[in-house]
Amino acid sequence: MARAARASAIRFEDRTLAGTLGELPWGLVLMLITVACIGTAALYSSTFTNPEEAGLPARHAVRFAISLGIMFVIALVPIGIWLRAAWPAYFVTLAMLVGVELFGLTRGGATRWLQLGPIGVQPSEFMKLALTLALARYYHNNLTFQSGRFFIHLPALFIIIVPAALIFKQPDFGTTLALIASGAVLIFLAGLYYRIIAAVFLAGIASAWPIYMFVLQDYQRERVNTFLAQLTGQAVNTLDDGYQIEQAKIAIGSGGWQGRGFMEGTQAQLDYIPEQHTDFILTVIAEEFGFLGATGLLALWAAILGWGLVIAGRSASLFGRFAAVGCVATVAFFILFNVAMVLGLVPVVGVPLPLVSYGGTVMFTTMACFGILLSVHIGRDERLSTQGMI
Amino acid sequence: MSSELDFESRLNRRTIITGAAGGVLFSGLVARLVQLQLFEGERYKEIANENGVKLDLAPPIRGAIYDRFGVPLASHRQAGRVSIVREQTPDMDATLAEIARHIDLPMDERERVIQQARSQASFQSTIVKSELTYEEFARMTLLAADMPGVRADMAATRSYPRGRDFAHVLGYVAKASSDDLSRLTENASPEESSLLARLFRHPDMRTGRSGIERAAEPWLRGEPGFRRLETNAAGRVIRELESDDLAPTPGRDIGLTVDAELQRAAIDRFGDESGAAVVLDIETGAILAFVSTPAFDPNDFVNGISYADYNALRENDRSPLYHKAYDGTYPPGSTFKMVVATAALEAGINPDQRVYCNGYYRFGNRTWHCWKRGGHGNVDMHWAMKGSCDVYFYDIARKIGVEHLADVSRRFGFGQVWDLGLTGGRGGTVPDDAWKRAALGEPWYEGETLNYGIGQGYLSASPLQLALMSARIAAKGRLIEPYIIGEGPRPDKPIPYAEPLDPDHMQRMMDGMYGVTSEAGGTAWRSGDLGLGGPRLAGKTGTAQVRRISEAERRSGVLKGDEIDRRLRDHALFVAYAPADDPKYAISVVVEHGEGGSSTAAPVARDILATAIRRDSRAAARWQQTASASGSGNGGGNP
């Protein structure tokens, strides 16, 4: 039946723009807009007491509008073009990462920026998308019925490890984790044997101690220490290391069932939580709208991501399916990690909440992911021959 | 194809597992939300509520001071003020200049504000100007909204509604200096000291610097409370929360025995003259008026008096800062003659025995003059008193001797500080041989006893003591003690002098004082009628020599009036009681450099007494009524 539906679908080349737009999953778009509106409201509540931050909510909304436009542009690019662009995009971004390593700009102790003419760019952000496309591209060509075997995934592992190592060195722990997590999801999807997954998992646990001792930077080790102390209920200096997460817990907890009401949260209004308009924006929502508000936002995101997986499942091409799952995994990683971090379940690593936290980069990355997702949706029936393309 | 189907179904399975894993992770987060928000929500809510609350020390409202009828003499009033917080103000100079465009704020005041702001923590507020007028306050309230760090608000300010009238009695309050603070914390424990230091740093807190304000500081101050202020993480105050349960305990009130209207009338009566007057209730010893004029306005001190203004007060030759009625001591002059006469009666001298006065008295190789150049002729004690014959008193003083004179003086209340519960107070000097040897290292010479007899020489007394003397006479020798605090921290009573004065002797003194004002030959017979159609007063004139008149001057005719510098003129004294037939009020009046007791002091005393009677100043005090109503014994007058 699915096949019949596909057969009756209009071939890509015959579509009109209006027809294509009409086919878009508008419910998904509407949900994205809803999330961005919640983010703008939370930003308004958390910044209106401070005149210097008065313009933030409006800027957030404008950025979202621009990102929405970019999403549609990406969506309307035929999926075949993305397939062809995958390798060049990956290698150019990789080259830029090397460039960062050699001549990057250092801001706030981390070397993440590359000056290209008048604009500064953060290649690690592009890499999130480029890696997804590259892995999708790789599996599109190389997946066979032997997909459980480890050797098939070895090149994919390299595709992940090289940029991840470069970004880890910047250092940017959050992005490194994001790349590894979404890459791991794709390898899993590609069909790696469970026994190998279990072995890698055990190796990961075994290597935690050496990584902690020899790989992490001092400030990262400190964060992990604080986190472990807080998680195990030890007393931490709440005015120092554990302050942020402690205040976040107070804000979230005090929200209770229904919250304290919009703009009524004392923790939020009195600036108790550092970064509350960026990484810790969820505390504002949880405090002012309570359990209902916070779970409502999570449910909304879960629905969006679930819809993304449905799109992935309907893709006729491997590239489309892998790209869609990769995009969903990237955004899901941000959401899960951010919320877990704010709730004190994982160490504080600078990971924002997509579309809700204030900040341009993550907004563009997220909406670009959804652009690819929509492009997969539009090109779901393209089988995408790759003959002579490598 | 089958492998492709297998392959595709595995891909689908893995997609679903991926979604399911994501769902599990999402559920884990929701579980954590359940834990934090639903199970531990109440606990976190409490922490959140405490988080933003800072306890700010709230100064207590200082106790009020009332007159006997409940008229407020010291209270508090809400006054508008502008303050500034350094850390919130981008440019102090520009902001102050802007403020100065709208309210009167001289350059040196702006300098002071900047100095003061720099000397304290940047988040503390500095008062730019207090005591704003309504118009200024309205204007600043509007402007402050657009000036970061500037605040216009109302604050309770100590206020003295009667202005100068009770300046010396009440004293004044001011911001605690470091000297004040070390005095206030002298006997306090370290914790109390630090709380007091914190309290007195509060911009609204004041401490008594003089008078009752200072002496009764612990009674008036009250206990500080706290205000709950909502602050943000940076410590900035967002708003004030309900804090009635932590409210400061106001200071206790004090009810004085004085009658504000009588005081006012007395001061008015002095006009431009400087001097002192004390009116006592003869029955109880309560002070009804305690005048020292000119005075300063204590309101000027509450927010700090300018150096120029303070210097002007200090250099004023009429000593407005000085409490003449309590701290001032004057030779009592002829008003002392009742004491000498009493001593004579106690020594067994017959009051009817006459002494011949020809205008001077010779003793050894010196001559003592009577004020009346021709002499009084043959005078007995009564005549000597009403005519104030110096020769008679030279004679009997010599016969009595210095030791007995000093003893009787003390029984009239001289030579002793009467602690009224305010700062200051001087006892004057009751000289005798021992005193002179201690003070001057010389024995007493008999010639000095003659001066003693007319109230001159080393002898000195305060106007309070003179009023007390006349009250003790009018009370027929009852040893009345003066007091001014009717309800409040009464000072410990001194042990009364054991030996009372003989009522018969006192009756003779009263007759003599009646003669002064109401019989032919009395030195103040014109002042005897109170002008109330009946009641008269009885009194005694006196002159306190400011300098000794030399023989040369006496021969050339003593310089009078305008011819000599005001500062060298004698003080005019008058003591009296009224009504003469049923004494209720005793008074002493000193008109500094007023020259004639009968010409300047007596009319003042007469008018004050008339006012006291007309107003019925002895009428039961408000605090006496409330005290008896509540059954408390604290109020009441002296027995």
Side-chain angles (χ1 to χ4, degrees), chain B residues 329-374:
Chain B
T329 56
Y330 304 84
S334 299
T335 60
F336 190 66
K337 282 172 180 164
M338 278 81 78
V339 179
V340 183
T342 304
L345 290 174
E346 288 191 7
I349 288 170
N350 181 355
D352 298 328
Q353 191 175 338
R354 287 164 189 268
V355 170
Y356 185 74
C357 167
N358 56 6
Y360 58 90
Y361 187 84
R362 278 193 185 280
F363 176 71
N365 56 0
R366 277 191 63 191
T367 303
W368 278 260
H369 292 270
C370 184
W371 69 271
K372 198 170 183 178
R373 301 194 79 187

Side-chain angles (χ1 to χ4, degrees), chain A residues 3 143-144 147-148 185 188-189 191-192 194 243 247 249-250 252-254 256-257 260 266-267 270-272 286 290-291 294-295 298 305 309 318 321 335-336 339-340 343 345 383, chain B residues 1 3-4 7-8 10-12 14-15 17-20 22 25-26 28-30 32-34 36-38 40-42 44-45 47-49 51-53 230-234 238:
Chain A
R3 298 252 161 214
L143 215 54
T144 67
S147 64
V185 167
F188 170 79
L189 182 71
L192 186 64
Y194 285 111
Y243 174 82
Q247 295 298 340
K249 273 156 91 177
I250 293 169
I252 294 162
S254 66
W257 257 109
R260 306 200 132 194
T266 55
Q267 292 285 106
L270 303 179
D271 303 337
Y272 270 87
F291 178 73
T295 45
L298 288 181
L305 297 173
L309 288 180
L318 281 178
R321 181 182 287 245
I335 295 162
L336 289 169
V339 175
L343 295 180
L345 296 171
R383 294 192 70 89
Chain B
M1 195 70 198
S3 73
E4 193 189 325
F7 177 65
E8 192 172 326
R10 181 199 272 181
L11 207 54
N12 282 339
R14 292 251 167 152
T15 308
I17 291 171
T18 304
L25 291 175
F26 266 88
L29 297 180
V30 171
R32 175 69 165 171
L33 280 173
V34 169
L36 288 178
Q37 297 196 287
L38 303 188
E40 297 174 4
E42 284 308 310
Y44 283 118
K45 202 173 276 181
I47 300 173
N49 288 344
N51 223 346
V53 174
E230 193 171 86
T231 57
N232 65 10
I238 309 295

Side-chain angles (χ1 to χ4, degrees), chain B residues 145-455:
Chain B
D146 296 328
M147 300 169 88
V150 177
R151 211 170 112 98
D153 61 0
M154 304 287 275
T157 305
R158 190 62 158 177
S159 151
Y160 302 99
R162 311 294 288 198
R164 294 160 196 271
D165 291 5
F166 290 94
H168 302 103
V169 175
L170 302 174
Y172 57 89
V173 294
K175 283 212 74 159
S177 65
S178 53
D179 285 352
D180 289 327
L181 206 56
S182 55
R183 173 169 55 81
L184 289 164
T185 56
E186 217 166 32
N187 299 318
S189 68
E191 298 88 65
E192 285 169 350
S193 295
S194 76
L195 182 70
L196 281 175
R198 246 182 92 195
L199 179 62
F200 280 109
R201 268 201 303 272
H202 194 284
D204 293 343
M205 196 62 195
R206 297 286 185 276
T207 185
R209 274 278 173 74
S210 70
I212 290 177
E213 292 277 29
R214 173 159 167 177
E217 170 76 25
W219 177 283
L220 290 167
R221 188 193 301 148
E223 294 297 325
F226 293 91
R227 291 188 306 157
R228 286 193 186 90
L229 297 177
E230 193 171 86
T231 57
N232 65 10
R236 255 176 230 161
V237 175
I238 309 295
R239 66 191 163 108
E240 189 174 338
L241 303 171
E242 199 277 326
S243 29
D244 285 351
D245 53 323
L246 298 176
T249 313
R252 284 165 290 180
D253 294 346
I254 290 179
L256 296 186
T257 59
V258 293
D259 173 0
E261 292 305 322
L262 178 64
Q263 179 96 354
R264 175 78 266 175
I267 291 167
D268 285 346
R269 183 60 186 77
F270 270 89
D272 292 336
E273 300 284 359
S274 79
V278 180
V279 180
L280 290 178
D281 177 347
I282 287 169
E283 193 190 321
T284 62
I287 296 174
L288 299 172
F290 209 16
V291 174
S292 174
T293 185
F296 58 91
D297 187 344
N299 290 305
D300 294 343
F301 286 80
V302 175
N303 292 311
I305 189 168
S306 75
Y307 189 71
D309 289 348
Y310 187 68
N311 251 7
L313 286 173
R314 262 183 48 186
E315 282 163 13
N316 187 324
D317 64 357
R318 294 179 188 220
S319 323
L321 293 173
Y322 193 52
H323 192 181
K324 301 180 182 79
Y326 195 36
D327 298 338
T329 56
Y330 304 84
S334 299
T335 60
F336 190 66
K337 282 172 180 164
M338 278 81 78
V339 179
V340 183
T342 304
L345 290 174
E346 288 191 7
I349 288 170
N350 181 355
D352 298 328
Q353 191 175 338
R354 287 164 189 268
V355 170
Y356 185 74
C357 167
N358 56 6
Y360 58 90
Y361 187 84
R362 278 193 185 280
F363 176 71
N365 56 0
R366 277 191 63 191
T367 303
W368 278 260
H369 292 270
C370 184
W371 69 271
K372 198 170 183 178
R373 301 194 79 187
H376 287 85
N378 243 343
V379 290
D380 62 6
M381 183 179 280
H382 183 76
W383 266 97
M385 285 211 300
K386 76 177 180 189
S388 201
C389 175
D390 291 339
V391 170
Y392 179 87
F393 284 95
Y394 293 141
D395 185 62
I396 61 170
R398 251 191 75 207
K399 288 177 181 156
I400 301 160
V402 61
E403 296 307 322
H404 185 48
L405 256 181
D407 177 50
V408 174
S409 298
R410 292 195 188 99
R411 281 153 64 198
F412 273 100
F414 293 105
Q416 149 183 13
V417 179
W418 291 97
D419 184 2
L420 300 176
L422 42 139
T423 53
R426 286 177 66 187
T429 307
V430 171
D432 57 15
D433 186 53
W435 172 84
K436 200 184 169 196
R437 282 174 194 278
L440 302 170
E442 284 177 15
W444 187 265
Y445 300 121
E446 200 177 359
E448 289 165 338
T449 313
L450 303 193
N451 270 340
Y452 211 153
I454 60 162

Side-chain angles (χ1 to χ4, degrees), chain A residues 306-332:
Chain A
W307 197 321
L309 288 180
V310 169
I311 290 173
R314 284 184 185 160
S315 171
S317 65
L318 281 178
F319 177 77
R321 181 182 287 245
F322 275 89
V325 172
C327 287
V328 168
T330 301
V331 177

Side-chain angles (χ1 to χ4, degrees), chain A residues 34-252:
Chain A
T34 309
V35 171
C37 287
I38 292 172
T40 308
L43 271 178
Y44 180 73
S45 177
S46 75
T47 57
F48 90 107
T49 47
N50 188 345
E52 289 160 24
E53 296 176 343
L56 261 55
R59 246 178 288 160
H60 184 76
V62 168
R63 274 181 190 166
F64 177 72
I66 294 170
S67 308
L68 201 63
I70 290 172
M71 178 189 80
F72 284 124
V73 170
I74 293 173
L76 294 176
V77 172
I79 188 76
I81 293 180
W82 289 120
L83 180 80
R84 286 187 194 90
W87 287 128
Y90 176 77
F91 286 110
V92 167
T93 311
L94 201 61
M96 278 160 70
L97 279 176
V98 175
V100 167
E101 181 61 28
L102 297 179
F103 351 87
L105 300 177
T106 304
R107 291 185 196 170
T111 312
R112 295 177 190 172
W113 297 79
L114 196 60
Q115 193 69 35
L116 292 180
I119 51 163
V121 294
Q122 224 176 319
S124 55
E125 280 302 320
F126 294 131
M127 187 46 89
K128 289 168 189 165
L129 203 57
L131 178 71
T132 294
L133 293 178
L135 286 173
R137 178 73 184 80
Y138 171 74
Y139 284 123
H140 183 73
N141 254 28
N142 298 289
L143 215 54
T144 67
F145 59 93
Q146 286 186 310
S147 64
R149 297 277 177 87
F150 182 67
F151 70 89
I152 287 184
H153 303 282
L154 211 56
L157 209 56
F158 275 108
I159 291 171
I160 298 166
I161 292 286
V162 174
L166 283 169
I167 292 169
F168 183 76
K169 217 171 159 281
Q170 288 183 351
D172 185 348
F173 200 55
T175 306
T176 310
L177 278 181
L179 293 186
I180 291 173
S182 56
V185 167
L186 290 187
I187 290 177
F188 170 79
L189 182 71
L192 186 64
Y193 287 138
Y194 285 111
R195 56 178 183 271
I196 299 174
I197 294 171
V200 170
F201 194 71
L202 288 174
I205 289 175
S207 64
W209 175 248
I211 287 175
Y212 172 82
M213 283 306 289
F214 304 112
V215 184
L216 293 188
Q217 309 251 345
D218 277 347
Y219 80 94
Q220 292 166 329
R221 234 192 310 270
E222 199 55 47
R223 280 185 189 175
V224 174
N225 288 348
T226 306
F227 164 72
L228 289 175
Q230 229 153 13
L231 203 65
T232 54
Q234 290 171 33
V236 290
N237 185 355
T238 49
L239 288 178
D240 193 7
D241 298 335
Y243 174 82
Q244 189 174 15
I245 199 67
E246 200 57 45
Q247 295 298 340
K249 273 156 91 177
I250 293 169
I252 294 162

